[in-house]
Amino acid sequence: MPPEVGPARPPPTTSARLGVLVSGRGSNLQALIQAVETGALNARIALVLSNRRQAGGLDLARAAGIETVVLEHRQFATRDEYDQKLAEELHARHVTLVCLAGFMRLVGPRLLDAFPDAVLNIHPSLLPAFPGLNAQQQALEHGARVTGATVHLVTTDLDAGPIVLQACVPVHDVDTIQSLSERILVEEHRIYPEAVASVLAGGWRIEGRRFLRGGSA
Ligand code: GRF
């Protein structure tokens, strides 16, 4: 169920600390690292955590001097136990905003309750179209003329949380999954840091499913 209306969130008083969760190559992580390094994003990446030891994103984090942790989900009996451990690792680094960046695990209430309205995800479609896996392939096979990228707050409903930012990408007749994915990825790398900055800036509220900036309800 979407969160209820609440007061507008104040900006953080101290520099925000991000925790980024990855399972794969980590190009969105790299976009966040660059945004921090260039000053476009006023935050610090306190931890990069992966459920896969071989994730390329871990190498990118180490190269940037960011602490990394591997938590393999196979080592935990239940999702709750895994999510509890995730939350503990993030809290131990005083993380205030969690960014899923190609994290191929559903996150459950144990993590979401530990970080209320503070878990973001990037998805390679214009949600609510094409949620779940293989979003680019879904768009292509459906014959969509436009698709794109979405940054949203994570809730227990898959890819259905309040939308923070979206970008459109055209679908061409000659597109393959790869060419379309590459075009979408350019937009992902542009909007993820922008969405994180927007969330960190505060002054927003959730109304039903909507993420609204400025004004009062
Ligand atoms: C991206 O397409 C992202 O939207 C999706 O998984 C992919 C991760 O890519 N959730 P990368 O690991 O950030 O390069």
Side-chain angles (χ1 to χ4, degrees):
M1 208 166 65
E4 291 173 0
V5 180
R9 304 300 198 285
T13 46
T14 52
S15 182
R17 293 171 66 83
L18 308 181
V20 185
L21 275 50
V22 300
S23 299
R25 71 192 156 184
S27 70
N28 279 289
L29 165 66
Q30 187 62 34
L32 293 172
I33 291 172
Q34 271 163 15
V36 169
E37 285 178 353
T38 61
L41 186 54
N42 180 20
R44 173 172 174 198
I45 302 176
L47 180 67
V48 170
L49 195 151
S50 180
N51 63 324
R52 292 198 181 131
R53 194 164 293 283
Q54 69 278 17
L58 291 170
D59 296 326
L60 297 173
R62 290 183 196 115
I66 299 167
E67 185 184 2
T68 61
V69 165
V70 176
L71 280 184
E72 288 177 312
H73 49 272
R74 284 186 300 271
Q75 320 241 324
F76 294 79
T78 65
R79 181 182 306 285
D80 274 357
E81 282 174 40
Y82 184 75
D83 284 0
Q84 179 69 37
K85 182 70 174 158
L86 281 182
E88 284 169 15
E89 295 287 351
L90 293 160
H91 276 152
R93 276 81 180 181
H94 307 289
V95 163
T96 48
L97 184 65
V98 181
C99 301
L100 309 185
F103 187 60
M104 302 303 285
R105 295 267 313 158
L106 290 173
V107 296
R110 286 285 176 94
L111 183 70
L112 297 174
D113 291 348
F115 291 91
D117 288 339
V119 181
L120 285 174
N121 182 44
I122 179 125
H123 183 79
S125 77
L126 286 178
L127 291 171
F130 313 128
L133 293 175
N134 305 318
Q136 304 93 333
Q137 184 176 355
Q138 290 185 56
L140 211 51
E141 288 178 354
H142 194 92
R145 289 293 169 189
V146 289
T147 183
T150 301
V151 179
H152 64 95
L153 287 168
V154 176
T155 62
T156 47
D157 295 331
L158 177 68
D159 296 331
I163 291 168
V164 177
L165 202 55
Q166 293 185 300
C168 293
V169 166
V171 182
H172 303 314
D173 289 349
V174 293
D175 265 328
T176 60
I177 295 170
Q178 188 181 341
S179 65
L180 181 58
S181 300
E182 284 170 4
R183 193 175 310 117
I184 294 171
L185 208 53
V186 172
E187 293 303 306
E188 292 186 40
H189 298 164
R190 184 177 67 78
I191 68 169
Y192 208 1
E194 197 180 325
V196 171
S198 176
V199 168
L200 292 178
W204 50 271
R205 67 184 193 278
I206 302 292
E207 204 175 298
R209 288 188 174 281
R210 304 177 74 198
F211 175 94
L212 300 172
R213 291 178 194 83
S216 54

